[in-house]
Amino acid sequence: MTELRNVEADLSRFRARVLVASVAVLVLFVLLLTRLVVLQVVRHEELDEQAEANRTAIVPIVPNRGLILDRNGIVLATNYSAYTLEITPSRLARPLDTVVDELAQIIEIQARDKRRFKKLLEESKSIDSLPIRTKLTDEEVARFTVQRFRFPGVDIKARLFRNYPYGELASHAIGYIGRVNQAEKKQMEDWEEEDQANYRGTEYIGKLGVEQSYEKQLHGITGVEQVETSAGGRAVRKLASTPATPGNTVRLSIDIKLQKLVEDLYGDRRGALVAIDPKTGEVLAFVSKPTFDPNLFVDGIDQENWAALNESIDKPLLNRALRGTYPPGSTFKPYMALAALETGKRRPEQAISDPGFFWFGGHQFRDDKPGGHGTVDMYKSIVQSCDTYYYILANDMGVDLMHEQLSHYGFGEITGIDIQGESKGLLPSTEWKRKAYRRPEQQKWYAGETISLGIGQGYNNFTPLQMATAMATISNPAGARMQPHLVKEIVDTTTKKGEPVAPQQVGQLTAKPENLAIIRKAMVGVTIEGTSAAAFRGAGYTSGGKTGTAQVVGIAQGAKYSHANTEERHRDHALYIAYAPAEDPKIAIGMIVENAGFGAAAAAPIARRAFDYYLLGQYPSEEDIAAVKVGKATTPIGTPRPAAEFAWPPANSAAAGAPATPASAGAMPVAAVPTGQLIAAAFSPVAHATVGIPTAGTTLWVPRWREAPAYGPGAGAKPAAAAAKPATAAASAAKPLRIANRNAPARPAPPLRAPPEPSSGGPATPAAPAE
């Protein structure tokens, strides 16, 4: 029996299927149409921007860092361009170690370069371009360029490097720059959005000194480039750009020739000197010995050099002028005498009979002169530096009255100088001791502790900067305490106009003019008939000063100090404070020569030569400089030279010789970098001009360097020093640390440590060192 098909049922099922299929097609079509509307209409602008971003790249143009000049326009910090071999880890097609080993067969890559790269890699993101070698020669650039196709993710770039042409000279004042570390990147996250945007693409930042404190003025304003890229991410052509604005020029108040002279006079000895204009607070010299070469830190200091600096017993990284704290010794006496006059504790004619010692609490506080100075009034106590006079005076005044009176000069306070890291020092009081110690027996102030304070020993600890500021204050005819500052003027690189740093008064002496006159007369007497008379014999001006010798270690009762028989680092410090001319002071000095003995023999001669240079324009003879270096000259010897004829750059300066990184070695000095300089027509510009292999018929370009600022406001011709080619060799006048200047693992600036505070067990009984 044959079964017949149900045609109607089949048609019904077919129609249902067609309907379902039609609905599905319609729905899909509607969805497609909707998606098209969303993509073409609703998200048109967003997707258009994404498409444009795929075709183009936005690259920050890092501005040229501003120059640093001395007060006379001599360039102390500049820039030069050099080629670097850089790796972007995220773009590598093979293991990093394999790539580095193969690169080493083409370009010399030492173990220190690998360690440095590893350190940078730990501190950076994988998308960052990091240098494996810097300052390539032209030959090395050519060798890599030929084989670049083998190394995706590896490029040669032209970067600007900071250069300090005089090496170690004034390094503690100028400071240095270094790569931005993770801690600094974290700090930048708290900046204003505008400031964060300005530092996009910036890899280097000021780490110390003026470079750190004036970072934003020196950095400039970052520009932006829009470039068209190929499918492989290579730049093809520039579409638009907003040029970067170079950093401003910072002109210091320092006279670099005076700085060089003082550093030379210190020789291999340790210490610090600060010279200030009493009327404006301008710092004329800022010396800390020994120094260091800031060029070592620019691209990351290697482990060998870091160990040599950080582990040196001489502590070259310690800014002694700013952070070193020392007992002031007898340089404290003029301030004590003025406090006695102001409080009525002494009259100028009131005298004591000095037997050469002072007994208190069963202890003998000795004077430096056996048998004493005889009858001593206030004038003689300063001129001949009588310790017994000030033992008695300190006992009569008490520690808290001394603290109240001497704080007027800035002792134990931050001066507010315009670089970071200043130590506060210590001007003791009973309140200070209660807060400084935990145990009740340590918190108690003992009367015997007051005695040694009178001659600048005991708990007294001040920085050379504070000593210079106090000297400037007491010598200022108006009695004004001016805030010291290293920067004299900031010159806008766009307008070429300078904005002077206005002097700022931070205190005012309330001392009676007649009392100030008595102290100033006595300080003049020191240089005419007193402890520094030999150093200032025959000077063509009148100066005031006070010698000081500060005890480093305690001397037992009855023992006699012997300079020759004492271990070098346990010998007394030599100090000197001074101002000149006495009638109208233009310069004031506070200084220390560590472990050098008598202030009259080791410190005062340096101050004399500094005054001769600054006031008379005289540069000491070569034999005189050699003798002062080793403490063998007081009065100048030989015939001084006119300072104007002193050759600059000096013969032993790095700037006087050939550049350490000449153009033939892939470096291009740019003391004043022209805006339109073409590095190489065949190189394409990703960020800092990535070097690539040009293709036929392709027009490639390089971002142009920017115009460097003028050498000081209203400057016409560039000074001779500015024309000198930069170098990275040290320019130390003293014995330099013999360390190699090579790139290696980047490390942050080391912490600066001041000498330790006095021990909790009270100061040693002073042996009353001679001046």
Side-chain angles (χ1 to χ4, degrees):
M1 184 175 178
T2 303
E3 182 179 352
L4 298 177
R5 294 180 58 187
N6 190 337
V7 177
E8 288 298 328
D10 290 344
L11 288 176
S12 178
R13 285 194 296 272
F14 175 76
R15 293 189 186 99
R17 290 170 185 168
V18 170
L19 179 61
V20 170
S22 299
V23 170
V25 170
L26 181 61
V27 169
L28 291 175
F29 181 79
V30 170
L31 289 175
L32 178 61
L33 183 62
T34 303
R35 185 60 177 168
L36 288 174
V37 171
V38 170
L39 294 177
Q40 298 292 333
V41 179
V42 178
R43 299 184 59 192
H44 171 76
E45 294 184 3
E46 175 189 349
L47 296 175
D48 184 62
E49 290 178 1
Q50 290 182 16
E52 186 67 15
N54 290 333
R55 186 180 68 91
T56 62
I58 302 298
V59 180
I61 306 175
V62 180
N64 284 357
R65 194 170 181 85
L67 304 182
I68 299 178
L69 317 176
D70 91 325
R71 67 185 297 116
N72 298 311
I74 295 175
V75 179
L76 306 179
T78 182
N79 310 295
Y80 69 93
S81 180
Y83 296 124
T84 65
L85 180 65
E86 306 207 4
I87 298 175
T88 306
S90 62
R91 294 175 54 197
L92 295 180
R94 290 172 293 165
L96 175 62
D97 291 340
T98 302
V99 173
V100 172
D101 290 340
E102 292 182 5
L103 285 172
Q105 298 175 11
I106 303 172
I107 294 176
E108 181 184 10
I109 299 177
Q110 299 183 3
R112 66 181 62 184
D113 297 318
K114 296 178 181 179
R115 291 195 299 268
R116 171 180 163 276
F117 180 81
K118 183 178 179 181
K119 180 67 176 179
L120 291 175
L121 187 61
E122 292 173 354
E123 297 177 349
S124 306
K125 299 177 181 179
S126 62
I127 59 173
D128 293 339
S129 175
L130 303 173
I132 185 71
R133 258 294 308 278
T134 61
K135 303 169 188 174
L136 302 177
T137 65
D138 291 340
E139 180 183 348
E140 289 174 323
V141 172
R143 285 205 305 266
F144 173 79
T145 302
V146 171
Q147 301 192 48
R148 186 192 176 283
F149 67 93
R150 295 173 49 200
F151 300 99
V154 183
D155 287 303
I156 288 181
K157 297 183 179 181
R159 292 184 180 270
L160 280 179
F161 289 86
R162 196 64 160 171
N163 180 61
Y164 304 96
Y166 304 108
E168 297 185 1
L169 184 59
S171 58
H172 286 286
I174 299 169
Y176 59 85
I177 69 168
R179 280 186 170 270
V180 180
N181 58 39
Q182 289 299 322
E184 289 161 338
K185 290 179 180 178
K186 189 69 176 176
Q187 293 174 1
M188 288 180 179
E189 294 176 2
D190 298 329
W191 289 5
E192 297 290 337
E193 181 62 31
E194 182 179 354
D195 290 335
Q196 290 188 43
N198 193 38
Y199 272 77
R200 290 196 178 107
T202 297
E203 297 180 342
Y204 297 88
I205 196 170
K207 301 281 188 177
L208 204 67
V210 171
E211 289 275 30
Q212 178 187 33
S213 297
Y214 287 83
E215 166 63 32
K216 292 188 177 181
Q217 290 87 341
L218 289 164
H219 178 267
I221 301 174
T222 299
V224 175
E225 295 175 345
Q226 186 181 29
V227 295
E228 185 176 7
T229 59
S230 66
R234 301 288 297 169
V236 176
R237 62 189 177 95
K238 178 180 70 172
L239 300 177
S241 71
T242 301
T245 302
N248 293 330
T249 295
V250 173
R251 187 155 68 99
L252 307 185
S253 57
I254 287 177
D255 184 331
I256 199 62
K257 292 184 180 180
L258 173 61
Q259 179 89 13
K260 174 72 164 62
L261 172 61
V262 173
E263 291 192 13
D264 282 352
L265 293 171
Y266 265 85
D268 294 339
R269 298 174 294 182
R270 303 173 301 279
L273 177 148
V274 179
I276 296 178
D277 184 332
K279 297 176 183 177
T280 64
E282 292 181 0
V283 176
L284 307 173
F286 193 82
V287 175
S288 176
K289 292 283 291 186
T291 56
F292 63 92
D293 185 358
N295 290 300
L296 293 170
F297 291 90
V298 171
D299 203 41
I301 187 167
D302 62 75
Q303 186 62 40
E304 177 186 352
N305 288 341
W306 168 249
L309 289 172
N310 193 47
E311 299 172 9
S312 170
I313 191 173
D314 291 331
K315 293 184 174 15
L317 296 175
L318 172 65
N319 188 336
R320 287 166 162 81
L322 190 72
R323 292 189 55 80
T325 56
Y326 307 89
S330 291
T331 64
F332 199 57
K333 292 173 181 176
Y335 307 101
M336 284 288 295
L338 183 55
L341 292 174
E342 286 294 300
T343 58
K345 294 293 183 179
R346 292 291 185 276
R347 299 186 306 277
E349 70 280 3
Q350 189 175 350
I352 67 164
S353 178
D354 174 23
F357 57 84
F358 174 66
W359 280 98
F360 185 88
H363 291 271
Q364 186 186 69
F365 293 82
R366 292 172 291 175
D367 196 288
D368 69 290
K369 184 177 180 181
H373 295 81
T375 301
V376 181
D377 61 5
M378 183 171 286
Y379 178 86
K380 187 177 179 180
S381 75
I382 295 176
V383 172
Q384 295 190 11
S385 199
C386 174
D387 292 325
T388 305
Y389 185 96
Y390 290 95
Y391 291 145
I392 299 171
L393 177 58
N395 187 50
D396 291 346
M397 291 185 65
V399 61
D400 287 331
L401 183 58
M402 292 165 57
H403 180 276
E404 175 193 338
Q405 289 293 313
L406 274 71
S407 60
H408 298 315
Y409 307 100
F411 293 127
E413 299 177 5
I414 298 295
T415 67
I417 192 170
D418 52 348
I419 57 175
Q420 300 177 30
E422 182 180 1
S423 289
K424 189 176 181 180
L426 176 59
L427 180 64
S429 66
T430 55
E431 181 183 2
W432 160 79
K433 198 174 185 188
R434 284 195 301 270
K435 294 179 178 179
Y437 298 106
R438 293 183 178 180
R439 298 202 300 267
E441 63 272 19
Q442 292 178 318
Q443 295 175 342
K444 182 180 178 181
W445 186 272
Y446 297 94
E449 295 175 319
T450 305
I451 309 302
S452 57
L453 297 181
I455 63 166
Q457 293 281 170
Y459 291 116
N460 285 322
N461 268 284
F462 310 138
T463 65
L465 175 61
Q466 289 173 333
M467 297 179 200
T469 302
M471 184 75 272
T473 302
I474 205 171
S475 65
N476 189 321
R481 176 152 62 100
M482 308 301 294
Q483 186 176 77
H485 55 95
L486 283 164
V487 173
K488 183 179 179 67
E489 182 183 42
I490 297 176
V491 182
D492 189 292
T493 53
T494 303
T495 64
K496 308 300 181 185
K497 293 182 179 179
E499 182 180 346
V501 174
Q504 184 174 350
Q505 182 175 339
V506 293
Q508 177 66 47
L509 289 184
T510 58
K512 297 176 182 177
E514 57 268 27
N515 290 339
L516 279 170
I518 292 170
I519 302 305
R520 290 168 181 162
K521 179 181 178 181
M523 295 186 74
V524 170
V526 170
T527 65
I528 295 176
E529 57 177 322
T531 52
S532 66
F536 284 86
R537 186 177 298 118
Y541 49 86
T542 303
S543 67
K546 183 68 191 78
T547 55
T549 305
Q551 184 179 322
V552 176
V553 294
I555 304 297
Q557 286 283 313
K560 186 176 181 180
Y561 172 78
S562 172
H563 183 80
N565 296 328
T566 302
E567 195 272 324
E568 191 267 340
R569 293 180 186 272
H570 291 167
R571 294 172 183 169
D572 296 339
H573 295 322
L575 301 102
Y576 194 63
I577 58 172
Y579 63 94
E583 306 80 18
D584 184 23
K586 293 180 173 59
I587 181 173
I589 283 178
M591 63 174 296
I592 183 170
V593 186
E594 291 183 12
N595 309 116
F598 302 146
I606 296 178
R608 163 70 189 274
R609 276 69 173 176
F611 284 171
D612 286 353
Y613 167 85
Y614 193 74
L615 300 175
L616 305 179
Q618 294 180 353
Y619 213 88
S621 63
E622 291 291 348
E623 59 263 51
D624 189 40
I625 293 177
V628 173
K629 280 183 178 181
V630 293
K632 299 297 184 182
T634 50
T635 306
I637 58 178
T639 303
R641 299 163 285 177
E645 297 179 7
F646 179 71
W648 195 268
N652 61 343
S653 166
T661 50
S664 61
M668 296 156 284
V670 283
V673 189
T675 306
Q677 181 178 1
L678 186 67
I679 295 179
F683 294 164
S684 65
V686 174
H688 298 276
T690 302
V691 178
I693 303 175
T695 57
T698 302
T699 302
L700 301 175
W701 59 276
V702 172
R704 305 191 298 174
W705 304 121
R706 278 139 215 98
E707 199 75 35
Y711 293 86
K718 185 166 57 177
K725 293 182 179 181
T728 56
S732 172
K735 181 180 179 181
L737 286 166
R738 301 302 180 187
I739 48 185
N741 188 354
R742 281 297 312 271
N743 298 317
R747 291 179 178 270
L752 301 179
R753 296 185 290 274
E757 298 289 353
S759 64
S760 59
T765 302
E771 301 309 310

